[in-house]
Amino acid sequence: RERVRAMFYHAYEHYLESAFPYDELRPLTCDGQDTWGSFSLTLIDALDTLLILGNVSEFQRVVSVLQEGVDFDIDVNASVFETNIRVVGGLLSAHLLSKKAGVEVEVGWPCSGPLLRMAEEAARKLLPAFQTPTGMPYGTVNLLHGVNPGETPVTCTAGIGTFIVEFATLSHLTGDPVFEDVARKALKALWKNRSDIGLVGNHIDVITAKWVAQDAGIGAGVDSYFEYLVKGAILLQDKELMSMFLEYNKAIKNYTKFDDWYLWVQMYKGTVSMPVFQSLEAYWPGLQSLIGDVQNAMRTFLNYYTVWKQFGGLPEFYNIPQGYTVDKREGYPLRPELIESAMYLYRATRDPTLLELGRDAVESIEKISKVDCGFATIKDLRDHRLDNRMESFFLAETVKYLYLLFDPDNFIHNDGSVFDVVITPYGECVLNAGGYVFNTEAHPIDPAALHCCRKQKEEQWEVEDLMREFYSLKKNKKFTLKRASDHGEGEGAKDPEDASSEKGGEKRNSERNSHSLLSCPSQSFNSKLAVLGQVFLDNT
Amino acid sequence: SCSRAKDVTMPAKLPVNFFSTRSPVIDLFRGQLDYADHLRQDSEIVLYFFYAPWCGQSIAAREEIEHVASRLSDQVLFVAVNCWWNQGKCRKQKHFFYFPVIHLYHQSFGPIEYKGPMSAVYIEKFVRRVMTPLLYISSRSKLLDFLSNYEPGVLGYFEFNASPQPPGYLTFFTSALHSLKKDYLGTIRFGVITDKHVAEEISLVHSGSVYLHRHVNTSLIYPNDIMNYTAENICKWALENRETLIRWLRPHGGKSLLLNNELKKGPALLIFIPYNPLAEIHPLLDEITKVALEYHNCNKSQTAEPDLRHLGDTDSPAFDSSVPDAHMKLPETFSITKYPCCNTVVLPQWHSISRTHNVCELCINQTLGVKPNKVHVPHCNFLEIEAALDSFYLQEHTFFQVISNTIECSNFLSFYSPFSYYTACCRTVNRHFLSFISSEKTIFQTPKVAFSSHGKKDNTQRSIPHIEDRNCFIPNLHISGINITGLSCRTNKTLNLYLLDSNLFWIYAERLGASRSIHLKEFAAIVDLKEEVHYVLDQNQSLVGSALENFIKNFSILYSPLKRHLVDDPSVHFHEQHVITEVTTNTFHDTVFLSEKNVLLLYYAQWCGFCASLNHVFIQLARLLPPDNFTVARIDTTRNDLPWEFMTDHLPTILFFPHQRKEQSVKFPEDFSVNLPNLLKFILHHSSLSSSEPCTKECLHKETVLQQGHISHLEREIQKLRSEITALHQAHDQLEAQLSEARREEHRLQQQKHTLEKQHKTLQLHSEQLQATYDQKNQELLEMAEKLQELADASENLLKENTLLRILVASREGKLQSKDEIKEPLQSEQTLSEDNDVSVSTATATLEKKRIDNIDTIETEHNSGNRTE
């Protein structure tokens, strides 16, 4: 853990020294460059990592630097997707963590604040991209002028479906529903355009809704779409998103899964088009563990780990049958996905193998990519040649997940045993009770905060009415029955059967088969022994 | 995820030393594989350590290798090769999928890859095995040692006579090395017999015969006539036919189905012991294997002891019939059976007035399992008898039923020694007979004395006999009727036995509930994957043969007294007070069933996203509910097992246990979203607060209490509202401040506007002035143009004059010419006039040029005028 901390500061201090206020550090030439805009991206991205490492004072300093220095009124063509996950996501999480970091917050926090306003401003700059006939956004937008005339309408799937976490958070915090609405509309458009066998390709024309690239898989171009369906479902307790994911999951298992690898297939026919494993796919085991598919997750993870052992990193593409890298895709830009999965899986299994991966990652990154000015992207895993780039996700994600893997007591892993109570003008909120949802750039969002700002007075009065029942002896029977029937109506789309089954004890058993979508299966008995590489086959 | 091409790149750093220069390991960090091969020629045994410098596992294994090297460097050459550097020979020739890779060479034989744990002791053991793949069995005692080992053994008999090496010997030697390739832990041991007499003891007569020793099944001789006599075949034959009574499980750490495959075979007894492969003796292991042997020993007598039985066996090896004389008699020393010593015991009766007593003859028998070197005493010593009595009284209920005059005998096992069992023969006698006996024969004359050792724990005569498991007493448990010998064949719940090294795999034990505080890493558990249960041998008992035997016996009987072990989360501290009570396996019953409150129990797991995002809802709920009547609790089902009836198959699950009707728990309906109002309604609906009975005094009191609770709740609410008001005030102030800020801003802007307007006016004025200047300039320019026109006209005139002049000159010339013809001396004058002509034309050119210049000036001026405008 201390080595990871030292890694962070080595890279972070050199960024500040040589590259700030550019987006990224160029570690070989010791200077900076703008890559995704001109937002001092690495600084925004690394902000919450500072807090996770416990550096409160630097967090506070950076917050004030960002408030003064970052301007989104610039004539820059920015990727909608990258700006959202890195800038909006980074600012949102910094906003939600700022109180914990000792930043003096406004009275309306967490429903208002300077960082939230910045995030909102950045997000508004992206909204013009969503003005398409399908509701699916363009890939690039000019921050000053909106979508450029002649902009290509081809966007990757992930670039369409990776907004719900940030945008729903923004909507819940600010009260402006426009963000969540456009994000949902885009998700639904993708869902509508899935193939007959239930798969999506990786590039689509947002005007005509025709698939341009028809390779279906879980990696590059698609990855965070699936991730956000699950994380959106968790964050918003949203069954619809989850049911979409589960449908996809079925198709993915049917058509792309072979021997715990996930291949690329043609989205309409289901035939294998590329038998490769991509570095970006390594997030999948982590996602599976979030919904309780821990055993499958572990099996896939162990496959991916063998690739790491072969090269000291994950090549962008790995040809599975040949057991080697794919031409022109031999690089490893210090991506976090495998470490991310290890962190999630370690939460679930406490398997020392996962710590071993962490150790291997620390050794590899230090031995291979550490240079005087930071950590350089590995251009070619075959000979470990380095490239003059340090992506901002190295500090935002790779280092963060590594540190969290080795720090099981970090506040991010809070299981709900500690929490903060915050009085806001909207009422009392319980915050920081754990269950943080990481966006795809590893920026944690506190799900309780969404509930805090959204909370309406009606719910409070309802709760107050109900509480009165707890303190009265006589009338409550009548009240309770009335409440019980209210219960069904209040939920909207519940059929009367459900409402009555809640009353009748006998009917519950028949209901057992239909489990809520928002639940994880319990771990099976053999999971006790599924550590140190041991995997078990399903009994079925 | 697109990346731009960058020009600047940097090649990987050059390789440096991986091992220190003082290390006994030769470090070829430039991957000089050719040099490594060259080195091999000088040494009999070579260990290659192929590493990648960035690889964590290589770095971790480095120390272990150095440790082994420091111990064996005089006999083994240790060579480390960097097989990553792409300029190195090694990387170019070898293609490894993981690092480090350890290869061993025995002279020309190799490579033998080591695939075992990267731990110094295991590596050293393996290297030693490669150094001496064959054990030399020179005497009978060595043979017995070899055969008594629990690991399968292969023996070859070779006569070393005249020829340097008997035929087949080299093949046999190679097959021993070969087996290490397949079986990296070397579980099959290879021995060679050179002495004819020793060979005869295992019925080998022909030099070159190979023999596979098996404890329970018939031993085999390598079928030369069926299979070719090659190293591979011998090795394969041994692997296929070896007997595995008890297996070591050593997961390699990569993805593997080892446990899956083994545990799917049926219930398994996993025994965890700390194991040092280098140790000379393993007493605990011997004891365990003895149990295993007994357990699998189906068709032999009870007193069989592995090595002896085999030698005394009438079952000869399969190829044995040709040599009937090969049987040898048991050596005297091994056949000694200890004389039993007996004592009479009077059993106490439940009714003290009973006139009859059961009298038992208690004898101590020693099994043949006793070690030959043990000292035998003809009489029982006091301690032995006492031990026997203890065991006896534990079984005594068995004998209570005996009320006939016939003598009935039972055997039961000692708890203290795996080698002895007791026999008790009982009959009923009347009192006077008893007194007669007691005065004469018994050592412990009175029941009082007899129970002295036993009565410490319980009220003497009412004590409940029990076997081994403290928690569960099953009446009528006739353990004495069961014997471990051959149990595996007699029971329909056959166990597979496995050993695990707790130095490496203790985590599995912890997963099965081994206590973390324990110093001695010994643990045994029976895992039944199909039934999804496991049982644990009481950890307060030391892991000895007898305890294991009882454990196995208790598992095997029809109504097993073993209880499913429930793993409990040790990290939860009960005394910690949280808003939400954390329940564990151990506290489940107390918290949920014994408490006087309504309990809402949440089943969760930390890793489940849907649970964690609801934390805040439950915290709010717990803070709202009156703490006197309600407990909000939760249980992490990943770390805490619960009895089947309380298990849930999905998380999160919310159960409500109403006060006074705890058995009628209700589940929060899954299709309702989990939020505060819904939870409150659910609780209200099912809680037992409601009562339709007429109000009594008690009820009134209750109501008062409730009202008071309500009042305090409301007070809390008021407090909350107050702070909310404060917050609102603050927000108001903040807004006010922002508003005034905005106003100031507006004012400032207004002012700015004024200034701007003023500036605008000035600018306008300026612009007008400029316009005027422009006009003026324009005028001037026009005038200038006119002047120029005049000039042009003038030059026109000049040109005309010029022409005239020319004509004039021409005419003059004409005249002069005519004069010349007459008058030669006038020539010089003519030249002069030509000169004049030239000067005139020059002047004309100058004039033209000047005009052009003037026009240029006009244009320039015009441009500048524009610019000014």
mmCIF file of all heavy atoms in Angstrom, chain A residues 351-371:
data_model
loop_
_atom_site.group_PDB
_atom_site.id
_atom_site.type_symbol
_atom_site.label_atom_id
_atom_site.label_comp_id
_atom_site.label_asym_id
_atom_site.label_seq_id
_atom_site.Cartn_x
_atom_site.Cartn_y
_atom_site.Cartn_z
ATOM 1 N N ASP A 351 -9.854 -13.540 -1.402
ATOM 2 C CA ASP A 351 -8.925 -14.529 -1.939
ATOM 3 C C ASP A 351 -7.531 -13.906 -2.073
ATOM 4 O O ASP A 351 -7.378 -12.891 -2.741
ATOM 5 C CB ASP A 351 -9.450 -14.975 -3.305
ATOM 6 C CG ASP A 351 -8.648 -16.115 -3.894
ATOM 7 O OD1 ASP A 351 -7.503 -16.328 -3.447
ATOM 8 O OD2 ASP A 351 -9.167 -16.782 -4.801
ATOM 9 N N PRO A 352 -6.517 -14.504 -1.464
ATOM 10 C CA PRO A 352 -5.161 -13.933 -1.560
ATOM 11 C C PRO A 352 -4.627 -13.844 -2.986
ATOM 12 O O PRO A 352 -3.722 -13.054 -3.254
ATOM 13 C CB PRO A 352 -4.295 -14.876 -0.724
ATOM 14 C CG PRO A 352 -5.171 -15.903 -0.165
ATOM 15 C CD PRO A 352 -6.568 -15.681 -0.590
ATOM 16 N N THR A 353 -5.173 -14.658 -3.890
ATOM 17 C CA THR A 353 -4.757 -14.566 -5.296
ATOM 18 C C THR A 353 -4.934 -13.143 -5.822
ATOM 19 O O THR A 353 -4.154 -12.666 -6.636
ATOM 20 C CB THR A 353 -5.623 -15.518 -6.151
ATOM 21 O OG1 THR A 353 -5.610 -16.793 -5.536
ATOM 22 C CG2 THR A 353 -5.095 -15.626 -7.554
ATOM 23 N N LEU A 354 -5.968 -12.481 -5.327
ATOM 24 C CA LEU A 354 -6.253 -11.135 -5.822
ATOM 25 C C LEU A 354 -5.211 -10.144 -5.331
ATOM 26 O O LEU A 354 -4.822 -9.229 -6.045
ATOM 27 C CB LEU A 354 -7.652 -10.725 -5.383
ATOM 28 C CG LEU A 354 -8.718 -11.686 -5.911
ATOM 29 C CD1 LEU A 354 -9.988 -11.601 -5.104
ATOM 30 C CD2 LEU A 354 -8.992 -11.381 -7.367
ATOM 31 N N LEU A 355 -4.749 -10.362 -4.112
ATOM 32 C CA LEU A 355 -3.669 -9.508 -3.614
ATOM 33 C C LEU A 355 -2.391 -9.778 -4.405
ATOM 34 O O LEU A 355 -1.584 -8.884 -4.628
ATOM 35 C CB LEU A 355 -3.420 -9.769 -2.132
ATOM 36 C CG LEU A 355 -4.584 -9.448 -1.199
ATOM 37 C CD1 LEU A 355 -4.191 -9.718 0.244
ATOM 38 C CD2 LEU A 355 -5.008 -8.004 -1.367
ATOM 39 N N GLU A 356 -2.248 -11.027 -4.825
ATOM 40 C CA GLU A 356 -1.089 -11.367 -5.635
ATOM 41 C C GLU A 356 -1.089 -10.594 -6.946
ATOM 42 O O GLU A 356 -0.052 -10.108 -7.387
ATOM 43 C CB GLU A 356 -1.098 -12.872 -5.927
ATOM 44 C CG GLU A 356 0.112 -13.577 -5.387
ATOM 45 C CD GLU A 356 -0.062 -15.075 -5.448
ATOM 46 O OE1 GLU A 356 -0.156 -15.616 -6.557
ATOM 47 O OE2 GLU A 356 -0.121 -15.703 -4.372
ATOM 48 N N LEU A 357 -2.260 -10.492 -7.555
ATOM 49 C CA LEU A 357 -2.356 -9.693 -8.778
ATOM 50 C C LEU A 357 -1.942 -8.251 -8.469
ATOM 51 O O LEU A 357 -1.212 -7.626 -9.229
ATOM 52 C CB LEU A 357 -3.774 -9.757 -9.329
ATOM 53 C CG LEU A 357 -4.206 -8.960 -10.565
ATOM 54 C CD1 LEU A 357 -4.726 -7.589 -10.292
ATOM 55 C CD2 LEU A 357 -3.128 -8.887 -11.621
ATOM 56 N N GLY A 358 -2.400 -7.761 -7.320
ATOM 57 C CA GLY A 358 -2.043 -6.406 -6.930
ATOM 58 C C GLY A 358 -0.540 -6.257 -6.800
ATOM 59 O O GLY A 358 0.051 -5.299 -7.308
ATOM 60 N N ARG A 359 0.067 -7.218 -6.155
ATOM 61 C CA ARG A 359 1.523 -7.187 -6.021
ATOM 62 C C ARG A 359 2.190 -7.210 -7.393
ATOM 63 O O ARG A 359 3.096 -6.420 -7.667
ATOM 64 C CB ARG A 359 1.976 -8.405 -5.210
ATOM 65 C CG ARG A 359 3.487 -8.541 -5.120
ATOM 66 C CD ARG A 359 3.906 -9.954 -4.818
ATOM 67 N NE ARG A 359 3.564 -10.842 -5.942
ATOM 68 C CZ ARG A 359 3.708 -12.151 -5.927
ATOM 69 N NH1 ARG A 359 4.162 -12.746 -4.842
ATOM 70 N NH2 ARG A 359 3.376 -12.895 -6.963
ATOM 71 N N ASP A 360 1.727 -8.099 -8.269
ATOM 72 C CA ASP A 360 2.302 -8.181 -9.612
ATOM 73 C C ASP A 360 2.161 -6.858 -10.345
ATOM 74 O O ASP A 360 3.073 -6.435 -11.059
ATOM 75 C CB ASP A 360 1.610 -9.296 -10.417
ATOM 76 C CG ASP A 360 2.036 -10.670 -9.954
ATOM 77 O OD1 ASP A 360 2.879 -10.742 -9.034
ATOM 78 O OD2 ASP A 360 1.549 -11.671 -10.488
ATOM 79 N N ALA A 361 1.004 -6.224 -10.166
ATOM 80 C CA ALA A 361 0.775 -4.957 -10.862
ATOM 81 C C ALA A 361 1.749 -3.898 -10.352
ATOM 82 O O ALA A 361 2.339 -3.156 -11.139
ATOM 83 C CB ALA A 361 -0.665 -4.503 -10.665
ATOM 84 N N VAL A 362 1.926 -3.833 -9.050
ATOM 85 C CA VAL A 362 2.850 -2.844 -8.496
ATOM 86 C C VAL A 362 4.260 -3.097 -9.023
ATOM 87 O O VAL A 362 4.932 -2.179 -9.498
ATOM 88 C CB VAL A 362 2.838 -2.904 -6.955
ATOM 89 C CG1 VAL A 362 3.938 -2.031 -6.386
ATOM 90 C CG2 VAL A 362 1.494 -2.462 -6.424
ATOM 91 N N GLU A 363 4.683 -4.348 -8.988
ATOM 92 C CA GLU A 363 6.032 -4.676 -9.463
ATOM 93 C C GLU A 363 6.179 -4.323 -10.942
ATOM 94 O O GLU A 363 7.155 -3.684 -11.340
ATOM 95 C CB GLU A 363 6.320 -6.176 -9.272
ATOM 96 C CG GLU A 363 6.443 -6.637 -7.827
ATOM 97 C CD GLU A 363 7.713 -6.158 -7.138
ATOM 98 O OE1 GLU A 363 8.526 -5.474 -7.772
ATOM 99 O OE2 GLU A 363 7.878 -6.475 -5.944
ATOM 100 N N SER A 364 5.226 -4.755 -11.751
ATOM 101 C CA SER A 364 5.332 -4.512 -13.189
ATOM 102 C C SER A 364 5.379 -3.024 -13.484
ATOM 103 O O SER A 364 6.239 -2.562 -14.237
ATOM 104 C CB SER A 364 4.130 -5.106 -13.921
ATOM 105 O OG SER A 364 4.159 -6.481 -13.857
ATOM 106 N N ILE A 365 4.453 -2.290 -12.924
ATOM 107 C CA ILE A 365 4.371 -0.869 -13.263
ATOM 108 C C ILE A 365 5.645 -0.160 -12.804
ATOM 109 O O ILE A 365 6.193 0.670 -13.522
ATOM 110 C CB ILE A 365 3.104 -0.251 -12.648
ATOM 111 C CG1 ILE A 365 1.870 -0.829 -13.330
ATOM 112 C CG2 ILE A 365 3.119 1.259 -12.789
ATOM 113 C CD1 ILE A 365 0.559 -0.452 -12.694
ATOM 114 N N GLU A 366 6.121 -0.511 -11.645
ATOM 115 C CA GLU A 366 7.344 0.143 -11.167
ATOM 116 C C GLU A 366 8.554 -0.252 -11.991
ATOM 117 O O GLU A 366 9.376 0.576 -12.352
ATOM 118 C CB GLU A 366 7.597 -0.220 -9.696
ATOM 119 C CG GLU A 366 6.879 0.719 -8.761
ATOM 120 C CD GLU A 366 7.392 0.593 -7.341
ATOM 121 O OE1 GLU A 366 8.255 -0.268 -7.088
ATOM 122 O OE2 GLU A 366 6.919 1.360 -6.496
ATOM 123 N N LYS A 367 8.633 -1.537 -12.291
ATOM 124 C CA LYS A 367 9.833 -2.001 -12.994
ATOM 125 C C LYS A 367 9.828 -1.570 -14.451
ATOM 126 O O LYS A 367 10.869 -1.293 -15.024
ATOM 127 C CB LYS A 367 9.921 -3.533 -12.918
ATOM 128 C CG LYS A 367 10.213 -4.052 -11.523
ATOM 129 C CD LYS A 367 11.685 -4.312 -11.355
ATOM 130 C CE LYS A 367 12.130 -4.591 -9.933
ATOM 131 N NZ LYS A 367 11.189 -4.727 -8.880
ATOM 132 N N ILE A 368 8.649 -1.559 -15.067
ATOM 133 C CA ILE A 368 8.612 -1.346 -16.510
ATOM 134 C C ILE A 368 8.393 0.119 -16.861
ATOM 135 O O ILE A 368 9.098 0.673 -17.692
ATOM 136 C CB ILE A 368 7.496 -2.206 -17.149
ATOM 137 C CG1 ILE A 368 7.738 -3.686 -16.872
ATOM 138 C CG2 ILE A 368 7.429 -1.962 -18.649
ATOM 139 C CD1 ILE A 368 6.543 -4.560 -17.135
ATOM 140 N N SER A 369 7.416 0.755 -16.219
ATOM 141 C CA SER A 369 6.989 2.027 -16.795
ATOM 142 C C SER A 369 7.406 3.237 -15.985
ATOM 143 O O SER A 369 7.136 4.355 -16.385
ATOM 144 C CB SER A 369 5.478 2.012 -16.988
ATOM 145 O OG SER A 369 4.845 2.173 -15.763
ATOM 146 N N LYS A 370 8.070 3.044 -14.866
ATOM 147 C CA LYS A 370 8.472 4.204 -14.082
ATOM 148 C C LYS A 370 9.669 4.888 -14.756
ATOM 149 O O LYS A 370 10.673 4.257 -15.052
ATOM 150 C CB LYS A 370 8.852 3.789 -12.669
ATOM 151 C CG LYS A 370 9.154 4.976 -11.771
ATOM 152 C CD LYS A 370 9.366 4.529 -10.329
ATOM 153 C CE LYS A 370 9.664 5.726 -9.461
ATOM 154 N NZ LYS A 370 9.834 5.364 -8.055
ATOM 155 N N VAL A 371 9.512 6.188 -15.009
ATOM 156 C CA VAL A 371 10.623 6.987 -15.545
ATOM 157 C C VAL A 371 10.789 8.196 -14.627
ATOM 158 O O VAL A 371 10.004 8.386 -13.702
ATOM 159 C CB VAL A 371 10.359 7.426 -16.999
ATOM 160 C CG1 VAL A 371 10.389 6.235 -17.925
ATOM 161 C CG2 VAL A 371 9.039 8.166 -17.110
#
